[in-house]
Amino acid sequence: MSNFVSVEELVELRASGGPIRVIDVRWRLDRPDGHADYLAGHIPGAVFVPLHTELATHGEPSDGRHPLPTTATLQEAARRWGVHRGDTVVAYDDAKGLAAARAWWLLRQAGVKVRVLDGGLSAWGAAGLPLETDDVHPEPGDVELVEIGADAISIDEAAAFPAGGVLLDVRAADRYRGEHEPLDPVAGHIPGARNVPMAAHLDVDGKILDTHTLQATFAAVGVTDGTPVAAYCGSGITAAHTALVLDEVGIEAKVYPGSWSQWSNTPGRPVALGDQPG
């Protein structure tokens, strides 16, 4: 089964009365609290998920901007969303699936069946489907999660990863090259990392590209079936989307959740510049 669900398929699943819980993960760097946008219009029945408190935690700069939540925090959140044992969660956002992918990555590790709405809220609107403006608070669920973290790597593991696999930097090319750094104290990339920006996986409508195109993109940087691969970004959100896309084409990937925000705030870590891994 695909990790992605189309608007048409979601409509059918909801109409069938199956155990579906839709979550709205409205979050962007320039608008981290998406609750007001959610209240302005969301998919009927969708529960709002605050990424910065339920899909991440807070720490020191050297921990990165979006450290992983504890399994207990995530379980409490999932129950608040109304998720029960055996439910399928469908996550969406209005930012090309970036925030929804973070939910997918965490929930999948935790043993929850989870999919991402292809094209997000834009695809729902383009289909002429209705939105609602209520604040949905379902009866609490009873889902039990397994321990998360197995699909994550540490800062030291990220440093060593290029020696035995492919470490992907999925930020925009100018940030990878070190020409532009709007958020972190140091510009550049982790030595040995290869750049494949997240945008390479999506069409103009924010929907995932076909499998052949995706496989060719990854193969161009040495990622094929069986290649050890890990991804990082600015703060561990966008990298989860690359892990989602890689899984869709049958390639397992780790994520370095601390990402560049942790690396650049840790004294002594080397930095590479330019368009080569270094």
Side-chain angles (χ1 to χ4, degrees):
M1 179 184 293
S2 173
N3 292 315
F4 292 88
V5 59
S6 69
V7 166
E8 294 78 15
E9 187 177 1
L10 178 56
V11 170
E12 292 175 3
L13 288 170
R14 286 160 55 91
S16 71
I20 301 293
R21 172 59 61 193
V22 181
I23 59 173
D24 182 308
V25 196
R26 213 83 64 94
W27 174 92
R28 291 186 351 201
L29 274 175
D30 61 341
R31 197 170 66 242
D33 185 356
H35 192 235
D37 295 317
Y38 164 84
L39 292 176
H42 57 79
I43 292 176
V47 177
F48 177 70
V49 175
L51 182 148
H52 60 290
T53 58
E54 293 189 333
L55 303 180
T57 188
H58 301 281
E60 298 299 321
S62 57
D63 295 323
R65 278 191 297 281
H66 297 110
L68 300 187
T70 65
T71 303
T73 295
L74 185 63
Q75 178 171 285
E76 181 181 359
R79 290 180 174 183
R80 183 189 70 79
W81 311 335
V83 181
H84 292 270
R85 298 179 182 89
D87 283 359
T88 295
V89 174
V90 175
Y92 76 89
D93 58 40
D94 61 352
K96 299 183 178 179
L98 298 186
R102 172 75 167 210
W104 171 88
W105 184 65
L106 289 172
L107 291 171
R108 179 173 176 267
Q109 293 179 67
V112 177
K113 291 182 287 186
V114 56
R115 302 174 74 183
V116 171
L117 179 62
D118 196 15
L121 191 64
S122 295
W124 184 270
L129 294 166
L131 298 176
E132 293 183 351
T133 58
D134 57 333
D135 203 350
V136 179
H137 295 285
E139 289 295 318
D142 60 6
V143 67
E144 294 186 3
L145 305 188
V146 301
E147 193 70 24
I148 62 173
D151 290 343
I153 62 172
S154 69
I155 189 170
D156 290 333
E157 289 171 321
F161 207 90
V166 177
L167 180 64
L168 297 177
D169 182 319
V170 307
R171 298 173 300 161
D174 61 341
R175 291 185 71 189
Y176 172 82
R177 293 191 298 263
E179 298 168 0
H180 177 63
E181 182 46 65
L183 297 168
D184 294 311
V186 179
H189 61 267
I190 297 174
R194 297 179 177 274
N195 187 217
V196 181
M198 178 278 301
H201 313 313
L202 303 173
D203 66 16
V204 295
D205 296 321
K207 293 184 178 181
I208 188 171
L209 295 171
D210 64 275
T211 298
H212 177 75
T213 299
L214 295 171
Q215 289 173 331
T217 297
F218 291 123
V221 293
V223 177
T224 57
D225 188 22
T227 304
V229 57
Y232 77 91
C233 55
S235 64
I237 304 301
T238 308
H241 188 275
T242 293
L244 166 66
V245 173
L246 281 162
D247 190 80
E248 185 69 8
V249 299
I251 299 174
E252 294 184 6
K254 302 288 188 179
V255 168
Y256 168 33
S259 285
W260 190 248
S261 60
Q262 181 182 45
W263 187 277
S264 63
N265 277 288
T266 303
R269 293 293 172 174
V271 171
L273 299 172
D275 61 2
Q276 297 301 312

